């Protein structure tokens, strides 16, 4: 069994984040070949290219965390029809310094939960555009726009709606297949 290391970003910094609950559910439902670990970003200062000559330790850790993974999963809310500023800040840090873009050739997938009925669809399109520029091969399908209703996922990440649980399990299975396919043609650099 080939195992793949997946780093995941939770786009929300809120302590009761529904996207954190969704991420916990995805960790539970992932096939055993995927080893998931969160990549934190809340302590990053706001990015400026003034830092490029000498990245602070917290930003170096971010880039090292991404480098150590086979693939990246983004679990994000939609804020004002885009992704939260904190997540965009983390992506900007990871994409630089110029020529050292951490997302280049790194497979990724996006998913998100919203209390609104379109389930982060607009934010995901915005994120996909960012990831395209960052040269990350993205899983195109299945798309996953999760309309989060109270109690859909418990505090410990159990999904209470069987059809949603099945959908999320299949989403992670497809991500596993996608990662293996991308790594076959774009093996990770040692
Ligand atoms: C929101 N929310 C929201 N929902 C949505 O579907 N589309 C949107 O554009 C927005 N915009 C937005 C902006 C800001 C600043 C906040 C705080 C919220 C509602 C959002 O879906 C809801 O707060 C979720 O709980 C956010 O996910 P987390 O942070 O709980 O994971």
């Amino acid at each position: 069994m080939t195992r793949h290391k997946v780093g995941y970003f939770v786009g929300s910094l809120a302590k009761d984040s529904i996207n954190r609950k969704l991420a916990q559910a995805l960790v539970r439902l992932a096939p055993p070949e995927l080893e998931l670990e969160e990549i934190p970003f809340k302590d990053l200062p706001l990015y400026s290219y003034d830092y490029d000559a000498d990245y602070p330790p917290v930003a170096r850790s971010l880039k090292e965390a991404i480098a150590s993974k086979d693939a990246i999963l983004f679990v994000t809310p939609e804020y004002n029809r885009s992704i939260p500023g904190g997540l965009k800040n983390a992506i900007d840090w990871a994409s630089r310094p110029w020529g050292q873009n951490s997302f280049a050739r790194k497979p990724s997938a996006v998913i998100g939960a919203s209390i609104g009925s379109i389930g982060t669809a607009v934010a995901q399109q915005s994120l996909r555009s960012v990831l395209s520029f960052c040269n990350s091969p993205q899983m195109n399908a299945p798309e996953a726009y999760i309309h989060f209703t109270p109690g859909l996922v418990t505090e410990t990440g159990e999904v209470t709606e069987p059809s949603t649980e099945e959908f999320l399990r299949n989403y992670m299975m497809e991500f596993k297949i996608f990662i293996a396919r991308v790594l076959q043609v774009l093996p990770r650099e040692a």
Side-chain angles (χ1 to χ4, degrees):
M1 181 173 83
T2 307
R3 292 180 73 88
H4 297 302
K5 292 182 178 188
V6 176
Y8 67 92
F9 287 86
V10 178
S12 175
L13 301 179
K15 63 177 172 15
D16 294 326
S17 164
I18 57 175
N19 283 279
R20 177 163 300 285
K21 291 192 178 89
L22 175 60
Q24 280 161 351
L26 294 169
V27 170
R28 286 179 78 103
L29 296 171
E33 291 88 347
L34 297 186
E35 211 175 276
L36 283 104
E37 187 179 41
E38 183 171 1
I39 299 180
F41 61 84
K42 73 174 173 46
D43 295 327
L44 287 165
L46 291 178
Y47 173 77
S48 137
Y49 59 75
D50 296 344
Y51 288 110
D52 282 1
D54 186 17
Y55 259 34
V58 65
R60 288 172 192 266
S61 300
L62 172 79
K63 287 180 74 71
E64 282 162 14
I66 297 170
S68 72
K69 305 302 181 199
D70 296 308
I72 304 294
L73 175 65
F74 292 88
V75 187
T76 186
E78 178 171 293
Y79 282 3
N80 299 319
R81 295 286 183 253
S82 186
I83 58 171
L87 178 60
K88 179 60 164 55
N89 184 51
I91 294 172
D92 290 345
W93 273 108
S95 70
R96 293 285 163 146
W98 175 250
Q100 295 170 51
N101 166 20
S102 301
F103 298 111
R105 297 175 289 281
K106 184 82 67 180
S108 66
V110 300
I111 186 170
S114 160
I115 53 174
S117 57
I118 61 167
T120 74
V122 183
Q124 288 190 39
Q125 286 309 311
S126 170
L127 178 55
R128 283 179 178 281
S129 172
V130 172
L131 292 172
S132 294
F133 185 73
C134 291
N135 195 21
S136 168
Q138 297 168 56
M139 181 168 77
N140 289 321
E143 297 174 303
Y145 309 122
I146 308 302
H147 176 206
F148 203 95
T149 48
L152 180 66
V153 181
T154 67
E155 294 301 323
T156 49
E158 280 159 276
V159 182
T160 57
E161 169 59 49
S163 62
T164 304
E165 181 181 43
E166 194 46 40
F167 176 84
L168 295 176
R169 183 179 282 113
N170 180 61
Y171 178 89
M172 293 307 283
M173 179 60 77
E174 288 289 338
F175 191 31
K176 183 207 87 169
I177 294 166
F178 175 75
I179 295 167
R181 202 182 298 137
V182 174
L183 292 182
Q184 210 169 18
V185 286
L186 293 173
R188 259 180 71 191
E189 285 154 26

